[in-house]
């Protein structure tokens, strides 16, 4: 059988079909549905429950009566109520941070900011209430022999404070890590630029060396490296002067291999060397010195061949 909800014409017709009420719905077989359709008892459409609209009453007089009933015009000492904005955040000013102003919205998800806002508001209330209480000659400090149990223990408040400090430290660490990531990205970018500049300089140096080797240029400026070029125009006359003489390649070869020309007779005496007697030593020249070797002095001579043979035979 099929379960179908139908909107019946009236309660009598529904009772004819064996249904308790429209609210409970009806469970009819196909044969019963066909019989009800043949009698014209069925009407098209779903059985939708319609809820009655709630009537709202704005009884102003009754509200005023209720307000007057529980409202009492008591002096401020009995009420001790104050409405004021939060105090100035001195800690944030000392640390150089931007505090939440009185008109700004507080982020309810930020525990530290929310609790700090409550603390500042309570501080401002105390600063306003103390002068009023002092004018009314009401004591604001507990006597020494007065002991009262606080709503929250000091241990609990210390735990709350440690938790807030821990959250603040975690937030600061995440901000530092974020800054470090940004600095690393910037450092990598600078490093890539430095490497690219080095490659460009190396390429320019190699091309200058190749040009010099092929004789396409006679300048050796590329050997100076990263030295700053003189801003004055005094370098131009030097290049012009060097063009009149031999080029740099010729100078380098002259320095390495000499200047060419006649080399025989380089040890011959000249007039100056002949007249120079500064190196003459009479004792050495006449065989009287320690290092003298001549006919007058007989040093340790090597024995002759026969003597050496006889010495071997004796051994």
């Amino acid at each position: 059988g099929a379960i179908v909800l139908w909107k019946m014409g009236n309660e009598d017709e529904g009772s004819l079909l064996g249904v308790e009420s429209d609210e409970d719905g009806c469970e009819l077989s196909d044969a019963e549905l066909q019989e009800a359709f043949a009698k014209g008892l069925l009407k098209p459409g779903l059985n939708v429950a319609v809820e009655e609209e709630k009537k709202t009453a704005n009884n102003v007089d009754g509200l005023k009566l209720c307000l007057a009933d529980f409202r009492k015009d008591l002096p401020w000492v009995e009420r001790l109520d104050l409405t004021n904005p939060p105090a100035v955040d001195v800690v944030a000013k000392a640390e150089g941070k931007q505090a939440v102003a009185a008109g700004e919205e507080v982020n309810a998800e930020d525990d530290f900011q929310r609790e700090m806002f409550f603390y500042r508001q309570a501080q401002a209330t105390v600063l306003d209430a103390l002068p009023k209480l002092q004018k009314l000659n009401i004591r604001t400090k507990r006597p020494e022999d007065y002991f009262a149990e606080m709503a929250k223990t000091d241990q609990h408040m210390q735990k709350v404070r440690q938790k807030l400090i821990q959250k603040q430290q975690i937030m600061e660490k995440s901000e530092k890590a974020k800054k470090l990531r940004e600095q690393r990205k910037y450092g990598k970018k600078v490093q890539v630029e430095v490497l690219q500049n080095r490659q460009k300089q190396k390429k320019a140096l190699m091309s200058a060396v190749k040009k010099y080797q092929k004789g396409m240029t006679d300048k050796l400026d590329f050997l100076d490296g990263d030295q700053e070029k003189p801003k004055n125009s005094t370098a131009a006359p030097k290049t012009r002067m060097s063009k009149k003489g031999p080029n740099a390649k010729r100078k380098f070869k002259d320095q390495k291999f000499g200047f060419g020309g006649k080399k025989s007779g380089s040890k011959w005496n000249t007039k100056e060397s002949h007249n120079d007697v500064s190196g003459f030593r009479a004792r050495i020249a006449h065989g009287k010195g320690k290092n003298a070797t001549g006919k007058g002095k007989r040093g340790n001579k090597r024995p002759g061949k026969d003597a050496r043979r006889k010495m071997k035979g004796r051994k």
Side-chain angles (χ1 to χ4, degrees), residues 58-253:
N58 186 14
N59 190 357
V60 179
D61 297 333
L63 291 173
K64 288 181 178 180
L65 286 173
C66 291
L67 181 61
D69 187 18
F70 63 80
R71 183 177 181 179
K72 297 178 181 179
D73 295 329
L74 298 174
W76 180 81
V77 180
E78 300 294 334
R79 291 182 285 110
L80 295 177
D81 56 343
L82 286 172
T83 304
N84 46 11
V88 180
D89 195 351
V90 183
V91 178
K93 279 189 176 181
E95 294 179 356
K97 297 180 181 178
Q98 186 176 2
V100 180
E104 296 181 8
E105 294 184 0
V106 181
N107 186 10
E109 301 297 331
D110 191 349
D111 294 342
F112 185 80
Q113 188 179 1
R114 186 182 66 247
E115 295 295 332
M116 196 66 191
F117 194 84
F118 290 158
Y119 173 78
R120 287 166 54 202
Q121 193 168 14
Q123 185 180 10
T125 306
V126 170
L127 293 174
D128 289 347
L130 282 176
K132 291 184 177 181
L133 292 171
Q134 289 172 1
K135 285 182 180 178
L136 296 171
N137 296 324
I138 296 174
R139 293 181 181 181
T140 57
K141 292 183 179 181
R142 290 185 299 177
E144 294 180 357
D145 59 347
Y146 179 82
F147 296 98
E149 187 177 355
M150 303 296 290
K152 293 184 179 179
T153 61
D154 294 339
Q155 294 178 354
H156 179 75
M157 295 307 297
Q158 286 292 334
K159 286 181 181 179
V160 172
R161 184 172 177 273
Q162 289 176 1
K163 190 174 182 181
L164 291 173
I165 291 171
Q166 188 177 3
K167 284 187 177 182
Q168 189 178 9
Q169 289 176 353
I170 291 170
M171 290 173 66
E172 289 177 356
K173 285 181 180 178
S174 63
E175 288 178 0
K176 286 181 181 179
K178 189 176 180 181
K179 288 181 180 178
L180 282 173
R181 284 195 295 268
E182 292 177 356
Q183 289 177 0
R184 285 175 185 171
K185 287 181 181 178
Y186 182 72
K188 286 181 180 179
K189 186 178 179 182
V190 173
Q191 189 176 5
V192 169
E193 290 179 357
V194 170
L195 291 174
Q196 288 178 354
N197 290 332
R198 284 181 184 173
Q199 289 178 357
K200 287 180 182 179
Q201 291 175 2
K202 187 177 179 181
K203 191 175 180 181
L205 180 64
M206 294 301 294
S207 63
V209 170
K210 285 181 181 179
K211 287 181 181 179
Y212 180 77
Q213 288 177 349
K214 292 178 181 179
M216 298 172 66
T217 180
D218 57 349
K219 295 180 180 179
L220 290 173
D221 297 338
F222 59 88
L223 295 176
D224 296 337
D226 295 335
Q227 294 180 0
E228 295 182 357
K229 296 182 180 179
K231 296 181 180 179
N232 299 330
S233 60
T234 55
K238 291 183 180 179
T239 54
R240 292 172 187 169
M241 291 293 291
S242 63
K243 288 183 179 178
K244 294 181 181 178
N247 57 11
K249 194 173 182 181
R250 179 73 265 163
K251 286 181 181 179
F252 179 73
K253 287 187 176 181

Side-chain angles (χ1 to χ4, degrees), residues 12 24 27 35 91 119 124 130-131 175 192 233 284 290 294 303 310:
D12 298 335
D24 297 336
E27 297 181 2
E35 184 179 354
V91 178
Y119 173 78
L130 282 176
E175 288 178 0
V192 169
S233 60
I284 295 173
K290 292 181 179 180
K310 287 177 183 180

Side-chain angles (χ1 to χ4, degrees), residues 33-62:
L33 289 172
Q34 289 176 1
E35 184 179 354
F37 182 72
K39 292 179 180 179
L41 300 175
L42 298 180
K43 294 182 180 180
L46 293 175
N47 185 12
V48 180
V50 179
E51 296 181 358
E52 295 182 359
E53 294 182 359
K54 293 182 180 180
K55 295 180 180 179
T56 57
N58 186 14
N59 190 357
V60 179
D61 297 333

